[in-house]
Amino acid sequence: MTGPAAALRAVHDEGAAPLPQPRGPLSAAVLDALRRPPGGTVRWPEVPRDDPFGEDVQLALHLCYEPHYRGLRGVAPSWEWDPGLLLLRGRLEQVFLDGLRAHVPGGADVAAELDELLVEPPGGAGLSRRLAEEGEWWQMREYLVHRSVYHHKEADPHVWVVPRLHGRAKASLVAVEYDEFGGGRADRVHARLYVDLLAGAGLETGYLHYLDAAPAPAIAVVNMMSLFGLHRGLRGALVGHFAAAETTTPPSARRMVRALERMGAHPDCVFFYSEHIEADAVHEQVMRRDVVGGLLESDPHLAPDIVLGIQATGLLEDRLSRHIGSAWDEDRSSLRTPLPR
């Protein structure tokens, strides 16, 4: 193809994600549809309600969301608002949201949920502690690949909540986002810093390059943010998730710095996490006092949704940690496509 149409497609493909391999009938159907011009009638497979966190459901949902971000390579931009794709996305979202609600206790005590995030077992918990104390370099590189699905679009899903807030909550959340996007400096945008980290670790830096290697638990964390961000009715859940992320990052980032320094990692790897220690410690206070507090003052009925966002974040992060940890316990790769050791 030549001429203006080809140029337009080239512009739209710039920085877009590569199309992944399917993981079942749902993701295969979405990929098949996206390779064609939008607008036709597609008979979508049934969405299984008994596997909301499974590989096929999570990849299919990710493919439905990606046109709202940087797009998919070779896929027409107009797929973003194609009614047929939105119909499937709605079905996938309902199954996913029902699954999240079914696997968390719920409640409306936001303060108690946030307080609980500040309590860690002695020495810390999770994969960051394991990596800091005994992790090997091959395990660190795998962990960085898992996290690339999120960090390539770090802070992007949170922007969608901005026009859905007002007053103190809105102004304060924008202040946090300003820092996440580098304070106006392109080289300090956190997603850019992660690209530098990947390069420093000898990994591929392309946008969503490792999507095929990432298992469903890694994709589900990002799908949760997209789900909460794209629905005004879930704005409280998005704020809850953001508050949970900012609260739990500083202690884990300290352990990641310790792990990377122990392994002799490139300074760009260390810098990504050291940047998050001080910044997110401040953000945690702003999120709790001004964003969550401001939202509850204006919309107290959103307390259960804020709790949902906090608990769902913990649920999916725990699922990812268990997936990775159980593989490492057996000295095998936690990725769908292992890296060379």
Side-chain angles (χ1 to χ4, degrees), residues 153-195:
K153 51 169 61 82
E154 183 175 350
D156 288 348
H158 306 133
V159 175
W160 281 318
V161 82
V162 172
R164 293 158 181 174
L165 302 176
H166 61 276
R168 182 159 59 102
K170 182 173 189 170
S172 301
L173 189 137
V174 169
V176 173
E177 285 284 80
Y178 181 71
D179 289 345
E180 297 285 338
F181 290 118
R185 292 179 53 186
D187 62 328
R188 296 299 294 269
V189 173
H190 287 185
R192 173 67 220 188
L193 295 180
Y194 203 80
V195 168

Side-chain angles (χ1 to χ4, degrees), residues 29 78 91 133 150 179 235 252 298 304 333:
S78 50
R91 293 172 180 169
E133 294 180 353
Y150 163 68
D179 289 345
R235 63 193 182 280
S252 65
S298 61
S333 175

Side-chain angles (χ1 to χ4, degrees), residues 268-335:
D268 284 345
C269 299
V270 177
F271 180 74
F272 175 82
Y273 286 102
S274 63
E275 172 74 5
H276 282 71
I277 294 173
E278 182 176 351
D280 286 5
V282 175
H283 293 169
E284 181 261 322
Q285 294 297 318
V286 175
M287 288 297 301
R288 178 167 186 150
R289 181 185 63 247
D290 297 318
V291 180
V292 173
L295 184 59
L296 286 173
E297 284 179 4
S298 61
D299 297 288
H301 65 281
L302 293 180
D305 288 339
I306 297 173
V307 168
L308 169 65
I310 296 169
Q311 293 177 349
T313 301
L315 169 73
L316 296 183
E317 290 289 353
D318 287 347
R319 287 177 61 88
L320 176 58
S321 293
R322 288 198 303 271
H323 170 89
I324 298 173
S326 62
W328 291 354
D329 287 343
E330 299 173 6
D331 195 36
R332 59 180 174 85
S333 175
S334 59
L335 296 169

